[in-house]
Amino acid sequence: MAHMRKCSMAEAVHLCKHYERNSNIQSYGNSDVDMSKSCENYNLAPERESQTDYIQGKLSEIAHAKRKDLIVMADLIISQPVDLPEEYREPFFQEAYYFCVARYGGILGEESVISAYVHMDESTPHMHFAFLPVTENANGELRFCAKEKICRRDLKTLHGDMQKWFDEKGIPARVQNGNTKFDSNGRALSVKELKREEYKNHDRWHEHKHGAKNMQKNYGRW
């Protein structure tokens, strides 16, 4: 239900346009977007005049490594559970937002949040919680460090902690179900990654079947 990705500045610029729906949707390769429903999208985070300018502003204030591939933004996608009662949709996303701020805001709180757009114009309603991966050292100094902010332990405990949060708030949301798949680090796979794995498995099956036929042809059944 929840999927995390880390973004460089170039990727962040691209995604921020996607959040706002202010560019050609086809450029994102997403055929599920129904533009007639885009007016139903909304942002739960404080409004930033420009998301990318906000990131650049924080980069000028907070220490970070001078490298082009620096991770400046993390995007946590939280999808609405299929079996969630309709009347709990808005409370679900609101509590999801509060959970994310509490978990990833750190000393910055909502200042770490770039945006939190809820998209109602795709096949499954979901929220993009975009935040600055900023950590604090022992001296109270801030710095960009996605490796520390989003570690393996965080990814492995994310779904369980989120489930506890919803349970305490009385939101009947099943965070994990039989369709949730994870990688070796405990990160939930996105829909695109799941489809990619399906294609890979299909290719392996096809190769195995094709190879078996060649073996029978060349050496006979055994």
Side-chain angles (χ1 to χ4, degrees):
M1 189 197 78
H3 168 70
M4 182 82 74
R5 67 178 293 182
K6 302 174 185 179
C7 311
S8 65
M9 192 64 210
E11 293 168 325
V13 169
H14 182 75
L15 275 176
C16 287
K17 291 180 180 179
H18 172 69
Y19 301 154
E20 297 174 351
R21 298 289 194 251
N22 65 354
S23 187
N24 182 2
I25 296 301
Q26 296 304 317
S27 67
Y28 306 112
N30 192 341
S31 59
D32 293 333
V33 176
D34 182 351
M35 293 296 289
S36 67
K37 296 182 179 180
S38 294
C39 59
E40 300 176 21
N41 297 344
Y42 58 97
N43 180 21
L44 288 167
E47 289 294 335
R48 313 300 183 192
E49 186 172 344
S50 166
Q51 294 181 80
T52 52
D53 285 351
Y54 188 76
I55 297 172
Q56 292 286 10
K58 290 301 181 183
L59 283 170
S60 66
E61 300 172 4
I62 302 172
H64 60 277
K66 306 297 183 181
R67 45 189 297 179
K68 290 184 178 180
D69 61 348
L70 174 71
I71 301 301
V72 301
M73 182 180 86
D75 174 38
L76 178 60
I77 304 174
I78 300 178
S79 300
Q80 176 184 312
V82 177
D83 57 354
L84 183 75
E86 191 72 18
E87 63 269 25
Y88 284 97
R89 173 179 288 166
E90 289 189 17
F92 167 78
F93 284 119
Q94 187 65 69
E95 287 301 334
Y97 174 76
Y98 291 148
F99 167 81
C100 291
V101 173
R103 188 179 184 90
Y104 297 109
I107 192 172
L108 289 178
E110 277 195 313
E111 281 189 46
S112 71
V113 186
I114 300 165
S115 63
Y117 280 91
V118 176
H119 285 164
M120 302 295 296
D121 55 3
E122 296 183 51
S123 57
T124 301
H126 58 275
M127 177 179 72
H128 286 273
F129 184 81
F131 65 97
L132 305 168
V134 174
T135 61
E136 180 184 9
N137 63 22
N139 297 323
E141 298 171 333
L142 301 178
R143 64 177 182 135
F144 278 81
C145 187
K147 187 175 181 180
E148 290 183 10
K149 191 72 174 181
I150 309 164
C151 60
R152 180 178 296 186
R153 181 182 180 281
D154 173 73
L155 295 174
K156 285 189 174 182
T157 59
L158 174 60
H159 284 79
D161 291 346
M162 192 182 296
Q163 184 66 70
K164 291 178 183 177
W165 183 281
F166 286 130
D167 290 344
E168 291 174 358
K169 304 302 179 181
I171 306 296
R174 290 192 302 166
V175 173
Q176 291 181 223
N177 55 45
N179 295 321
T180 306
K181 300 291 188 300
F182 303 90
D183 66 11
S184 59
N185 291 322
R187 182 180 63 87
L189 298 177
S190 66
V191 173
K192 280 187 177 181
E193 289 171 325
L194 288 172
K195 288 181 178 179
R196 193 180 301 130
E197 285 300 311
E198 288 178 4
Y199 292 143
K200 285 182 179 179
N201 291 335
H202 178 270
D203 289 343
R204 293 192 192 101
W205 173 84
H206 181 75
E207 182 180 354
H208 175 74
K209 183 177 181 181
H210 183 67
K213 284 185 176 180
N214 283 341
M215 187 177 292
Q216 289 178 21
K217 181 179 178 180
N218 295 329
Y219 303 103
R221 296 178 71 99
W222 53 278

PDB file of all heavy atoms in Angstrom, residues 193-221:
ATOM      1  N   GLU A 193       6.936  -1.885 -10.565  1.00  0.00           N
ATOM      2  CA  GLU A 193       7.936  -2.904 -10.235  1.00  0.00           C
ATOM      3  C   GLU A 193       7.306  -4.290 -10.178  1.00  0.00           C
ATOM      4  O   GLU A 193       7.919  -5.272 -10.596  1.00  0.00           O
ATOM      5  CB  GLU A 193       8.607  -2.558  -8.905  1.00  0.00           C
ATOM      6  CG  GLU A 193       9.531  -1.360  -9.002  1.00  0.00           C
ATOM      7  CD  GLU A 193      10.027  -0.889  -7.648  1.00  0.00           C
ATOM      8  OE1 GLU A 193       9.263  -0.973  -6.670  1.00  0.00           O
ATOM      9  OE2 GLU A 193      11.178  -0.432  -7.567  1.00  0.00           O
ATOM     10  N   LEU A 194       6.066  -4.374  -9.674  1.00  0.00           N
ATOM     11  CA  LEU A 194       5.373  -5.658  -9.638  1.00  0.00           C
ATOM     12  C   LEU A 194       5.136  -6.171 -11.051  1.00  0.00           C
ATOM     13  O   LEU A 194       5.310  -7.361 -11.334  1.00  0.00           O
ATOM     14  CB  LEU A 194       4.036  -5.515  -8.893  1.00  0.00           C
ATOM     15  CG  LEU A 194       4.124  -5.340  -7.376  1.00  0.00           C
ATOM     16  CD1 LEU A 194       2.751  -5.015  -6.813  1.00  0.00           C
ATOM     17  CD2 LEU A 194       4.679  -6.603  -6.724  1.00  0.00           C
ATOM     18  N   LYS A 195       4.725  -5.263 -11.949  1.00  0.00           N
ATOM     19  CA  LYS A 195       4.502  -5.662 -13.338  1.00  0.00           C
ATOM     20  C   LYS A 195       5.805  -6.109 -13.979  1.00  0.00           C
ATOM     21  O   LYS A 195       5.850  -7.068 -14.749  1.00  0.00           O
ATOM     22  CB  LYS A 195       3.901  -4.498 -14.129  1.00  0.00           C
ATOM     23  CG  LYS A 195       2.455  -4.202 -13.771  1.00  0.00           C
ATOM     24  CD  LYS A 195       1.908  -3.060 -14.609  1.00  0.00           C
ATOM     25  CE  LYS A 195       0.455  -2.801 -14.280  1.00  0.00           C
ATOM     26  NZ  LYS A 195      -0.102  -1.674 -15.071  1.00  0.00           N
ATOM     27  N   ARG A 196       6.902  -5.394 -13.659  1.00  0.00           N
ATOM     28  CA  ARG A 196       8.204  -5.755 -14.211  1.00  0.00           C
ATOM     29  C   ARG A 196       8.614  -7.154 -13.762  1.00  0.00           C
ATOM     30  O   ARG A 196       9.150  -7.940 -14.540  1.00  0.00           O
ATOM     31  CB  ARG A 196       9.238  -4.715 -13.765  1.00  0.00           C
ATOM     32  CG  ARG A 196      10.566  -4.799 -14.530  1.00  0.00           C
ATOM     33  CD  ARG A 196      11.526  -3.736 -14.041  1.00  0.00           C
ATOM     34  NE  ARG A 196      10.975  -2.410 -14.214  1.00  0.00           N
ATOM     35  CZ  ARG A 196      10.932  -1.502 -13.253  1.00  0.00           C
ATOM     36  NH1 ARG A 196      11.388  -1.800 -12.043  1.00  0.00           N
ATOM     37  NH2 ARG A 196      10.439  -0.311 -13.490  1.00  0.00           N
ATOM     38  N   GLU A 197       8.346  -7.469 -12.482  1.00  0.00           N
ATOM     39  CA  GLU A 197       8.660  -8.795 -11.966  1.00  0.00           C
ATOM     40  C   GLU A 197       7.822  -9.867 -12.653  1.00  0.00           C
ATOM     41  O   GLU A 197       8.305 -10.961 -12.938  1.00  0.00           O
ATOM     42  CB  GLU A 197       8.416  -8.848 -10.449  1.00  0.00           C
ATOM     43  CG  GLU A 197       9.470  -8.133  -9.630  1.00  0.00           C
ATOM     44  CD  GLU A 197      10.855  -8.717  -9.851  1.00  0.00           C
ATOM     45  OE1 GLU A 197      11.000  -9.953  -9.772  1.00  0.00           O
ATOM     46  OE2 GLU A 197      11.784  -7.941 -10.114  1.00  0.00           O
ATOM     47  N   GLU A 198       6.549  -9.525 -12.939  1.00  0.00           N
ATOM     48  CA  GLU A 198       5.680 -10.477 -13.630  1.00  0.00           C
ATOM     49  C   GLU A 198       6.233 -10.781 -15.021  1.00  0.00           C
ATOM     50  O   GLU A 198       6.246 -11.923 -15.473  1.00  0.00           O
ATOM     51  CB  GLU A 198       4.264  -9.906 -13.739  1.00  0.00           C
ATOM     52  CG  GLU A 198       3.522  -9.875 -12.417  1.00  0.00           C
ATOM     53  CD  GLU A 198       2.149  -9.258 -12.553  1.00  0.00           C
ATOM     54  OE1 GLU A 198       1.771  -8.925 -13.700  1.00  0.00           O
ATOM     55  OE2 GLU A 198       1.462  -9.103 -11.537  1.00  0.00           O
ATOM     56  N   TYR A 199       6.690  -9.713 -15.706  1.00  0.00           N
ATOM     57  CA  TYR A 199       7.258  -9.905 -17.036  1.00  0.00           C
ATOM     58  C   TYR A 199       8.524 -10.757 -16.975  1.00  0.00           C
ATOM     59  O   TYR A 199       8.753 -11.627 -17.811  1.00  0.00           O
ATOM     60  CB  TYR A 199       7.581  -8.557 -17.684  1.00  0.00           C
ATOM     61  CG  TYR A 199       6.367  -7.735 -18.028  1.00  0.00           C
ATOM     62  CD1 TYR A 199       6.371  -6.348 -17.886  1.00  0.00           C
ATOM     63  CD2 TYR A 199       5.191  -8.339 -18.485  1.00  0.00           C
ATOM     64  CE1 TYR A 199       5.261  -5.584 -18.186  1.00  0.00           C
ATOM     65  CE2 TYR A 199       4.075  -7.584 -18.796  1.00  0.00           C
ATOM     66  CZ  TYR A 199       4.117  -6.212 -18.652  1.00  0.00           C
ATOM     67  OH  TYR A 199       3.009  -5.463 -18.951  1.00  0.00           O
ATOM     68  N   LYS A 200       9.365 -10.500 -15.963  1.00  0.00           N
ATOM     69  CA  LYS A 200      10.596 -11.271 -15.813  1.00  0.00           C
ATOM     70  C   LYS A 200      10.286 -12.741 -15.571  1.00  0.00           C
ATOM     71  O   LYS A 200      10.913 -13.629 -16.159  1.00  0.00           O
ATOM     72  CB  LYS A 200      11.428 -10.715 -14.650  1.00  0.00           C
ATOM     73  CG  LYS A 200      12.137  -9.411 -14.943  1.00  0.00           C
ATOM     74  CD  LYS A 200      12.954  -8.979 -13.740  1.00  0.00           C
ATOM     75  CE  LYS A 200      13.682  -7.681 -14.018  1.00  0.00           C
ATOM     76  NZ  LYS A 200      14.468  -7.246 -12.837  1.00  0.00           N
ATOM     77  N   ASN A 201       9.326 -12.995 -14.676  1.00  0.00           N
ATOM     78  CA  ASN A 201       8.952 -14.378 -14.378  1.00  0.00           C
ATOM     79  C   ASN A 201       8.392 -15.068 -15.609  1.00  0.00           C
ATOM     80  O   ASN A 201       8.639 -16.250 -15.849  1.00  0.00           O
ATOM     81  CB  ASN A 201       7.924 -14.414 -13.241  1.00  0.00           C
ATOM     82  CG  ASN A 201       8.527 -14.009 -11.916  1.00  0.00           C
ATOM     83  OD1 ASN A 201       9.735 -14.149 -11.707  1.00  0.00           O
ATOM     84  ND2 ASN A 201       7.704 -13.509 -11.004  1.00  0.00           N
ATOM     85  N   HIS A 202       7.622 -14.300 -16.400  1.00  0.00           N
ATOM     86  CA  HIS A 202       7.062 -14.873 -17.622  1.00  0.00           C
ATOM     87  C   HIS A 202       8.169 -15.225 -18.599  1.00  0.00           C
ATOM     88  O   HIS A 202       8.163 -16.282 -19.227  1.00  0.00           O
ATOM     89  CB  HIS A 202       6.097 -13.870 -18.277  1.00  0.00           C
ATOM     90  CG  HIS A 202       5.504 -14.361 -19.563  1.00  0.00           C
ATOM     91  ND1 HIS A 202       6.106 -14.140 -20.791  1.00  0.00           N
ATOM     92  CD2 HIS A 202       4.383 -15.092 -19.822  1.00  0.00           C
ATOM     93  CE1 HIS A 202       5.379 -14.693 -21.743  1.00  0.00           C
ATOM     94  NE2 HIS A 202       4.322 -15.276 -21.185  1.00  0.00           N
ATOM     95  N   ASP A 203       9.172 -14.333 -18.717  1.00  0.00           N
ATOM     96  CA  ASP A 203      10.295 -14.591 -19.620  1.00  0.00           C
ATOM     97  C   ASP A 203      11.100 -15.808 -19.161  1.00  0.00           C
ATOM     98  O   ASP A 203      11.534 -16.613 -19.986  1.00  0.00           O
ATOM     99  CB  ASP A 203      11.222 -13.368 -19.682  1.00  0.00           C
ATOM    100  CG  ASP A 203      10.582 -12.218 -20.441  1.00  0.00           C
ATOM    101  OD1 ASP A 203       9.608 -12.471 -21.173  1.00  0.00           O
ATOM    102  OD2 ASP A 203      11.048 -11.075 -20.284  1.00  0.00           O
ATOM    103  N   ARG A 204      11.305 -15.937 -17.827  1.00  0.00           N
ATOM    104  CA  ARG A 204      12.037 -17.094 -17.312  1.00  0.00           C
ATOM    105  C   ARG A 204      11.280 -18.381 -17.618  1.00  0.00           C
ATOM    106  O   ARG A 204      11.865 -19.391 -17.999  1.00  0.00           O
ATOM    107  CB  ARG A 204      12.237 -16.954 -15.797  1.00  0.00           C
ATOM    108  CG  ARG A 204      13.155 -15.817 -15.380  1.00  0.00           C
ATOM    109  CD  ARG A 204      13.514 -15.941 -13.910  1.00  0.00           C
ATOM    110  NE  ARG A 204      14.155 -14.743 -13.415  1.00  0.00           N
ATOM    111  CZ  ARG A 204      13.524 -13.812 -12.706  1.00  0.00           C
ATOM    112  NH1 ARG A 204      12.244 -13.969 -12.404  1.00  0.00           N
ATOM    113  NH2 ARG A 204      14.165 -12.735 -12.293  1.00  0.00           N
ATOM    114  N   TRP A 205       9.937 -18.334 -17.431  1.00  0.00           N
ATOM    115  CA  TRP A 205       9.107 -19.514 -17.713  1.00  0.00           C
ATOM    116  C   TRP A 205       9.184 -19.873 -19.195  1.00  0.00           C
ATOM    117  O   TRP A 205       9.342 -21.034 -19.565  1.00  0.00           O
ATOM    118  CB  TRP A 205       7.658 -19.224 -17.320  1.00  0.00           C
ATOM    119  CG  TRP A 205       6.704 -20.323 -17.734  1.00  0.00           C
ATOM    120  CD1 TRP A 205       6.420 -21.462 -17.065  1.00  0.00           C
ATOM    121  CD2 TRP A 205       5.924 -20.364 -18.936  1.00  0.00           C
ATOM    122  NE1 TRP A 205       5.521 -22.216 -17.756  1.00  0.00           N
ATOM    123  CE2 TRP A 205       5.191 -21.571 -18.904  1.00  0.00           C
ATOM    124  CE3 TRP A 205       5.767 -19.501 -20.018  1.00  0.00           C
ATOM    125  CZ2 TRP A 205       4.310 -21.936 -19.931  1.00  0.00           C
ATOM    126  CZ3 TRP A 205       4.894 -19.860 -21.039  1.00  0.00           C
ATOM    127  CH2 TRP A 205       4.191 -21.060 -20.986  1.00  0.00           C
ATOM    128  N   HIS A 206       9.111 -18.855 -20.047  1.00  0.00           N
ATOM    129  CA  HIS A 206       9.157 -19.071 -21.487  1.00  0.00           C
ATOM    130  C   HIS A 206      10.511 -19.654 -21.895  1.00  0.00           C
ATOM    131  O   HIS A 206      10.589 -20.583 -22.699  1.00  0.00           O
ATOM    132  CB  HIS A 206       8.921 -17.746 -22.224  1.00  0.00           C
ATOM    133  CG  HIS A 206       8.918 -17.889 -23.718  1.00  0.00           C
ATOM    134  ND1 HIS A 206       7.860 -18.438 -24.419  1.00  0.00           N
ATOM    135  CD2 HIS A 206       9.860 -17.572 -24.643  1.00  0.00           C
ATOM    136  CE1 HIS A 206       8.141 -18.445 -25.705  1.00  0.00           C
ATOM    137  NE2 HIS A 206       9.345 -17.921 -25.872  1.00  0.00           N
ATOM    138  N   GLU A 207      11.585 -19.095 -21.316  1.00  0.00           N
ATOM    139  CA  GLU A 207      12.930 -19.576 -21.634  1.00  0.00           C
ATOM    140  C   GLU A 207      13.105 -21.019 -21.181  1.00  0.00           C
ATOM    141  O   GLU A 207      13.676 -21.844 -21.890  1.00  0.00           O
ATOM    142  CB  GLU A 207      13.963 -18.676 -20.952  1.00  0.00           C
ATOM    143  CG  GLU A 207      15.410 -19.060 -21.265  1.00  0.00           C
ATOM    144  CD  GLU A 207      16.397 -18.147 -20.580  1.00  0.00           C
ATOM    145  OE1 GLU A 207      15.967 -17.163 -19.967  1.00  0.00           O
ATOM    146  OE2 GLU A 207      17.614 -18.434 -20.653  1.00  0.00           O
ATOM    147  N   HIS A 208      12.597 -21.310 -19.973  1.00  0.00           N
ATOM    148  CA  HIS A 208      12.708 -22.670 -19.448  1.00  0.00           C
ATOM    149  C   HIS A 208      11.942 -23.647 -20.334  1.00  0.00           C
ATOM    150  O   HIS A 208      12.440 -24.725 -20.674  1.00  0.00           O
ATOM    151  CB  HIS A 208      12.163 -22.708 -18.023  1.00  0.00           C
ATOM    152  CG  HIS A 208      12.118 -24.096 -17.440  1.00  0.00           C
ATOM    153  ND1 HIS A 208      13.252 -24.755 -17.032  1.00  0.00           N
ATOM    154  CD2 HIS A 208      11.082 -24.941 -17.214  1.00  0.00           C
ATOM    155  CE1 HIS A 208      12.926 -25.957 -16.576  1.00  0.00           C
ATOM    156  NE2 HIS A 208      11.605 -26.084 -16.682  1.00  0.00           N
ATOM    157  N   LYS A 209      10.720 -23.270 -20.729  1.00  0.00           N
ATOM    158  CA  LYS A 209       9.890 -24.139 -21.560  1.00  0.00           C
ATOM    159  C   LYS A 209      10.524 -24.334 -22.921  1.00  0.00           C
ATOM    160  O   LYS A 209      10.579 -25.440 -23.450  1.00  0.00           O
ATOM    161  CB  LYS A 209       8.496 -23.527 -21.697  1.00  0.00           C
ATOM    162  CG  LYS A 209       7.521 -24.400 -22.486  1.00  0.00           C
ATOM    163  CD  LYS A 209       6.147 -23.756 -22.520  1.00  0.00           C
ATOM    164  CE  LYS A 209       5.168 -24.640 -23.294  1.00  0.00           C
ATOM    165  NZ  LYS A 209       3.816 -24.010 -23.359  1.00  0.00           N
ATOM    166  N   HIS A 210      11.018 -23.239 -23.499  1.00  0.00           N
ATOM    167  CA  HIS A 210      11.639 -23.297 -24.810  1.00  0.00           C
ATOM    168  C   HIS A 210      12.911 -24.150 -24.761  1.00  0.00           C
ATOM    169  O   HIS A 210      13.166 -24.963 -25.643  1.00  0.00           O
ATOM    170  CB  HIS A 210      11.977 -21.880 -25.281  1.00  0.00           C
ATOM    171  CG  HIS A 210      12.557 -21.821 -26.661  1.00  0.00           C
ATOM    172  ND1 HIS A 210      11.832 -22.135 -27.786  1.00  0.00           N
ATOM    173  CD2 HIS A 210      13.810 -21.500 -27.081  1.00  0.00           C
ATOM    174  CE1 HIS A 210      12.605 -21.998 -28.860  1.00  0.00           C
ATOM    175  NE2 HIS A 210      13.811 -21.613 -28.451  1.00  0.00           N
ATOM    176  N   GLY A 211      13.693 -23.959 -23.675  1.00  0.00           N
ATOM    177  CA  GLY A 211      14.918 -24.743 -23.524  1.00  0.00           C
ATOM    178  C   GLY A 211      14.619 -26.215 -23.367  1.00  0.00           C
ATOM    179  O   GLY A 211      15.329 -27.071 -23.904  1.00  0.00           O
ATOM    180  N   ALA A 212      13.552 -26.536 -22.630  1.00  0.00           N
ATOM    181  CA  ALA A 212      13.175 -27.941 -22.433  1.00  0.00           C
ATOM    182  C   ALA A 212      12.792 -28.590 -23.755  1.00  0.00           C
ATOM    183  O   ALA A 212      13.120 -29.742 -24.018  1.00  0.00           O
ATOM    184  CB  ALA A 212      12.009 -28.020 -21.444  1.00  0.00           C
ATOM    185  N   LYS A 213      12.096 -27.847 -24.609  1.00  0.00           N
ATOM    186  CA  LYS A 213      11.698 -28.395 -25.911  1.00  0.00           C
ATOM    187  C   LYS A 213      12.914 -28.679 -26.774  1.00  0.00           C
ATOM    188  O   LYS A 213      12.988 -29.698 -27.464  1.00  0.00           O
ATOM    189  CB  LYS A 213      10.770 -27.409 -26.626  1.00  0.00           C
ATOM    190  CG  LYS A 213       9.361 -27.389 -26.066  1.00  0.00           C
ATOM    191  CD  LYS A 213       8.465 -26.484 -26.895  1.00  0.00           C
ATOM    192  CE  LYS A 213       7.030 -26.535 -26.384  1.00  0.00           C
ATOM    193  NZ  LYS A 213       6.142 -25.644 -27.179  1.00  0.00           N
ATOM    194  N   ASN A 214      13.889 -27.745 -26.744  1.00  0.00           N
ATOM    195  CA  ASN A 214      15.116 -27.968 -27.514  1.00  0.00           C
ATOM    196  C   ASN A 214      15.862 -29.189 -27.022  1.00  0.00           C
ATOM    197  O   ASN A 214      16.422 -29.957 -27.805  1.00  0.00           O
ATOM    198  CB  ASN A 214      16.032 -26.733 -27.426  1.00  0.00           C
ATOM    199  CG  ASN A 214      15.553 -25.604 -28.312  1.00  0.00           C
ATOM    200  OD1 ASN A 214      14.766 -25.826 -29.234  1.00  0.00           O
ATOM    201  ND2 ASN A 214      16.026 -24.396 -28.036  1.00  0.00           N
ATOM    202  N   MET A 215      15.881 -29.388 -25.696  1.00  0.00           N
ATOM    203  CA  MET A 215      16.572 -30.531 -25.122  1.00  0.00           C
ATOM    204  C   MET A 215      15.912 -31.836 -25.582  1.00  0.00           C
ATOM    205  O   MET A 215      16.582 -32.799 -25.932  1.00  0.00           O
ATOM    206  CB  MET A 215      16.561 -30.439 -23.593  1.00  0.00           C
ATOM    207  CG  MET A 215      17.412 -31.498 -22.901  1.00  0.00           C
ATOM    208  SD  MET A 215      17.421 -31.261 -21.113  1.00  0.00           S
ATOM    209  CE  MET A 215      18.329 -29.720 -20.999  1.00  0.00           C
ATOM    210  N   GLN A 216      14.552 -31.846 -25.612  1.00  0.00           N
ATOM    211  CA  GLN A 216      13.850 -33.038 -26.062  1.00  0.00           C
ATOM    212  C   GLN A 216      14.133 -33.302 -27.540  1.00  0.00           C
ATOM    213  O   GLN A 216      14.299 -34.439 -27.962  1.00  0.00           O
ATOM    214  CB  GLN A 216      12.343 -32.856 -25.850  1.00  0.00           C
ATOM    215  CG  GLN A 216      11.919 -32.886 -24.392  1.00  0.00           C
ATOM    216  CD  GLN A 216      10.424 -32.657 -24.251  1.00  0.00           C
ATOM    217  OE1 GLN A 216       9.680 -32.855 -25.210  1.00  0.00           O
ATOM    218  NE2 GLN A 216      10.009 -32.238 -23.071  1.00  0.00           N
ATOM    219  N   LYS A 217      14.202 -32.211 -28.307  1.00  0.00           N
ATOM    220  CA  LYS A 217      14.429 -32.343 -29.738  1.00  0.00           C
ATOM    221  C   LYS A 217      15.831 -32.893 -30.024  1.00  0.00           C
ATOM    222  O   LYS A 217      16.015 -33.745 -30.890  1.00  0.00           O
ATOM    223  CB  LYS A 217      14.270 -30.986 -30.404  1.00  0.00           C
ATOM    224  CG  LYS A 217      14.476 -31.021 -31.918  1.00  0.00           C
ATOM    225  CD  LYS A 217      14.261 -29.623 -32.506  1.00  0.00           C
ATOM    226  CE  LYS A 217      14.518 -29.653 -34.022  1.00  0.00           C
ATOM    227  NZ  LYS A 217      14.315 -28.304 -34.628  1.00  0.00           N
ATOM    228  N   ASN A 218      16.816 -32.403 -29.283  1.00  0.00           N
ATOM    229  CA  ASN A 218      18.193 -32.783 -29.534  1.00  0.00           C
ATOM    230  C   ASN A 218      18.601 -34.105 -28.869  1.00  0.00           C
ATOM    231  O   ASN A 218      19.413 -34.837 -29.401  1.00  0.00           O
ATOM    232  CB  ASN A 218      19.154 -31.696 -29.048  1.00  0.00           C
ATOM    233  CG  ASN A 218      18.968 -30.422 -29.854  1.00  0.00           C
ATOM    234  OD1 ASN A 218      18.621 -30.458 -31.034  1.00  0.00           O
ATOM    235  ND2 ASN A 218      19.211 -29.279 -29.224  1.00  0.00           N
ATOM    236  N   TYR A 219      18.021 -34.381 -27.682  1.00  0.00           N
ATOM    237  CA  TYR A 219      18.474 -35.548 -26.928  1.00  0.00           C
ATOM    238  C   TYR A 219      17.365 -36.547 -26.623  1.00  0.00           C
ATOM    239  O   TYR A 219      17.641 -37.621 -26.081  1.00  0.00           O
ATOM    240  CB  TYR A 219      19.101 -35.094 -25.598  1.00  0.00           C
ATOM    241  CG  TYR A 219      20.245 -34.135 -25.797  1.00  0.00           C
ATOM    242  CD1 TYR A 219      20.075 -32.782 -25.573  1.00  0.00           C
ATOM    243  CD2 TYR A 219      21.495 -34.598 -26.213  1.00  0.00           C
ATOM    244  CE1 TYR A 219      21.116 -31.893 -25.755  1.00  0.00           C
ATOM    245  CE2 TYR A 219      22.556 -33.708 -26.404  1.00  0.00           C
ATOM    246  CZ  TYR A 219      22.355 -32.368 -26.178  1.00  0.00           C
ATOM    247  OH  TYR A 219      23.398 -31.493 -26.355  1.00  0.00           O
ATOM    248  N   GLY A 220      16.122 -36.205 -26.968  1.00  0.00           N
ATOM    249  CA  GLY A 220      15.026 -37.120 -26.689  1.00  0.00           C
ATOM    250  C   GLY A 220      14.553 -36.961 -25.256  1.00  0.00           C
ATOM    251  O   GLY A 220      15.169 -36.279 -24.446  1.00  0.00           O
ATOM    252  N   ARG A 221      13.404 -37.593 -24.936  1.00  0.00           N
ATOM    253  CA  ARG A 221      12.872 -37.518 -23.564  1.00  0.00           C
ATOM    254  C   ARG A 221      13.727 -38.390 -22.663  1.00  0.00           C
ATOM    255  O   ARG A 221      14.171 -39.466 -23.055  1.00  0.00           O
ATOM    256  CB  ARG A 221      11.420 -38.002 -23.543  1.00  0.00           C
ATOM    257  CG  ARG A 221      10.472 -37.109 -24.381  1.00  0.00           C
ATOM    258  CD  ARG A 221       9.078 -37.702 -24.325  1.00  0.00           C
ATOM    259  NE  ARG A 221       8.493 -37.539 -23.010  1.00  0.00           N
ATOM    260  CZ  ARG A 221       7.638 -36.562 -22.721  1.00  0.00           C
ATOM    261  NH1 ARG A 221       7.273 -35.697 -23.646  1.00  0.00           N
ATOM    262  NH2 ARG A 221       7.125 -36.472 -21.513  1.00  0.00           N
TER     263      ARG A 221
END
